[in-house]
Amino acid sequence: MIKRLLPRTSYERESLLKSFLLFFVIMELFLGVIFYMLFLAELSSLKSKVFLELKNYSYTFEGEKFRIDIIPAERGARLYELLEDGEGLYILVPVPFSEKELLRITYPRESFLSDRRRVIGRFFLFFGIASVVAFGLSVAFSIYAVNPMRQALRMIEEVNKDIIHDLNTPMMTLRVNLKMLRSKYPQDEELERIEFALKQLETFKENLRPLETKTEFKMEEVNLKELIEKEAADFKKVYPEKEIRLELETVKIKADRSAAVRIVSNLLENAFKHGLKGSWVRVLLRGDKLIVENPSKPPRDVNKLFERYYRESQRGLGLGLSIVKKLASELGWKVKAEYSDGVFRVVILLKKS
């Protein structure tokens, strides 16, 4: 039950966190204002209590709680009013049979501060209990608030599964017929373009699979230079107006070939599709670093480019780079996106062993 309530995707986590912070901060501010007003009222009540005790003491002079001093009477002195200075709370009362002197009865400042600390401690305890309750309510409210988005994401995943299932039959038909045509026309260039389109369709189908599903890898030695050259040649046929610049060293790496193909294919497709019209795509492979770059408009948020379904434009579904991130992470590769001087690039640090 608890596992079902926990967020599964970055979108759910972000929404849950923002909803929680919104609820919790508002409730804490509300509680803070209420407790501050109650504290002021309690402080006023404490002073009123001290005043009554001072006044009663002026009639009986019983006990050692208060300090008595005789001071010169000043004109306009405020008698029987609670006053405060650096020594504490006090009242002034007249001395019987003397008009030149007054009695000052003081409640020492140390005693008053001690009383105030007890009040503050009690309020902090109540505020802490109220904050724990607010925390629990905020968690409950945020889970409830994120539920519609969670259902929408699950619906999208269900639609994706249906699309994957429905694509199987027509793709199988295409593969069979292409194989028959290829046996009759082995050198036909139009068939090559159709085969590439079918390959892109297969990549699209694989990209629709949920990211939470861990990929089963079959590790083998992969020549990345040859793999990139083949993929680049296929994309050049579809985007003949764009120049492709390959700066490739021979790099052989232990990886799953299918995963490596999908990573390179998605990177190239992203570069060709979202680059400026008539521009170029550059692929650099050197040592343990693979870089794919192209001129483009500045992205709105580089940090979100690897999130599933995030799109900078109306083109695409926001799947390619999220798949690159997922597969690269499972292979132990590190991926980052950069933008500078009008050029967008994806950098992959390869794990060679």
Side-chain angles (χ1 to χ4, degrees):
M1 176 64 181
I2 295 177
K3 189 176 181 181
R4 279 196 331 215
L5 295 175
L6 295 176
R8 298 184 302 120
T9 66
S10 60
Y11 291 103
E12 290 183 43
R13 287 190 289 271
E14 181 181 357
S15 179
L16 186 66
L17 178 61
K18 288 181 177 179
S19 299
F20 167 76
L21 290 176
L22 179 63
F23 286 127
F24 187 65
V25 169
I26 290 176
M27 293 182 74
E28 283 294 286
L29 289 174
F30 184 66
L31 287 173
V33 171
I34 290 177
F35 274 89
Y36 180 69
M37 293 174 66
L38 289 174
F39 171 72
L40 293 180
E42 186 72 14
L43 196 60
S44 177
S45 176
L46 177 61
K47 288 184 177 181
S48 297
K49 179 183 176 183
V50 171
F51 173 66
L52 290 175
E53 291 180 352
L54 286 169
K55 197 171 181 181
N56 290 334
Y57 184 80
S58 68
Y59 298 130
T60 63
F61 297 104
E62 294 180 356
E64 299 179 356
K65 189 175 181 180
F66 305 107
R67 189 176 70 241
I68 300 177
D69 298 296
I70 298 177
I71 62 173
E74 295 181 0
R75 195 173 187 181
R78 297 157 59 186
L79 304 179
Y80 294 107
E81 291 186 25
L82 185 67
L83 304 172
E84 184 176 2
D85 62 10
E87 296 183 19
L89 302 177
Y90 67 94
I91 63 171
L92 300 175
V93 299
V95 176
F97 312 110
S98 175
E99 296 181 355
K100 295 183 178 180
E101 294 175 321
L102 294 174
L103 283 178
R104 170 181 167 137
I105 305 174
T106 305
Y107 185 57
R109 184 170 185 79
E110 294 77 15
S111 299
F112 176 69
L113 290 178
S114 178
D115 292 340
R116 193 172 71 170
R117 280 195 294 270
R118 281 196 293 270
V119 172
I120 293 174
R122 189 166 69 252
F123 269 81
F124 266 108
L125 176 62
F126 292 152
F127 184 77
I129 294 172
S131 295
V132 170
V133 174
F135 181 89
L137 289 174
S138 298
V139 171
F141 288 153
S142 56
I143 291 175
Y144 178 77
V146 81
N147 208 41
M149 188 190 72
R150 177 177 294 162
Q151 291 177 355
L153 288 173
R154 287 176 181 169
M155 188 180 297
I156 291 173
E157 296 295 350
E158 290 299 321
V159 171
N160 287 349
K161 291 177 183 177
D162 291 340
I163 293 174
I164 291 170
H165 180 268
D166 292 341
L167 281 174
N168 285 330
T169 301
M171 287 177 62
M172 179 62 71
T173 303
L174 284 171
R175 277 193 291 269
V176 171
N177 284 276
L178 273 173
K179 191 174 181 179
M180 294 169 60
L181 288 171
R182 177 57 73 185
S183 64
K184 292 182 180 180
Y185 310 102
Q187 304 299 324
D188 194 292
E189 292 186 1
E190 292 182 355
L191 286 180
E192 288 183 4
R193 288 194 289 270
I194 295 174
E195 287 172 340
F196 179 69
L198 179 60
K199 179 184 173 184
Q200 284 187 303
L201 193 58
E202 290 174 339
T203 300
F204 170 72
K205 188 188 79 169
E206 290 301 313
N207 288 347
L208 285 174
R209 296 189 184 279
L211 287 181
E212 289 74 22
T213 304
K214 187 171 178 63
T215 309
E216 295 294 332
F217 289 144
K218 180 182 177 183
M219 305 302 284
E220 59 182 290
E221 187 178 77
V222 177
N223 188 322
L224 280 182
K225 180 176 183 292
E226 292 179 357
L227 189 154
I228 293 170
E229 287 174 339
K230 182 178 182 308
E231 292 296 315
D234 289 340
F235 275 97
K236 181 63 179 175
K237 295 173 184 176
V238 182
Y239 299 92
E241 76 283 359
K242 289 194 176 182
E243 177 189 357
I244 184 161
R245 305 171 183 175
L246 300 180
E247 300 176 25
L248 309 175
E249 292 182 353
T250 300
V251 175
K252 295 181 180 180
I253 194 168
K254 202 80 170 176
D256 180 87
R257 179 173 294 278
S258 175
V261 169
R262 288 178 66 191
I263 289 172
V264 172
S265 177
N266 277 304
L267 286 176
L268 289 174
E269 183 175 7
N270 184 75
F272 276 101
K273 185 185 292 185
H274 299 289
L276 298 178
K277 188 175 181 180
S279 61
W280 47 266
V281 173
R282 177 173 176 259
V283 184
L284 171 67
L285 178 62
R286 187 172 299 158
D288 63 347
K289 187 178 290 187
L290 169 62
I291 301 174
V292 179
E293 61 182 17
N294 58 280
S296 74
K297 297 178 181 178
R300 293 193 300 272
D301 192 341
V302 173
N303 296 322
K304 288 189 174 183
L305 290 176
F306 294 107
E307 293 183 6
R308 194 166 175 86
Y309 303 123
Y310 178 78
R311 297 188 301 172
E312 288 278 335
S313 67
Q314 296 303 314
R315 302 184 66 186
L317 295 175
L319 297 172
L321 290 182
S322 65
I323 294 297
V324 169
K325 180 75 171 180
K326 173 182 181 288
L327 294 176
S329 297
E330 291 183 3
L331 287 170
W333 302 353
K334 295 181 179 179
V335 185
K336 64 177 180 178
E338 302 172 349
Y339 183 85
S340 61
D341 301 325
V343 175
F344 173 76
R345 64 181 58 84
V346 178
V347 180
I348 297 183
L349 298 179
L350 306 168
K351 180 181 178 183
K352 287 197 163 186
S353 58

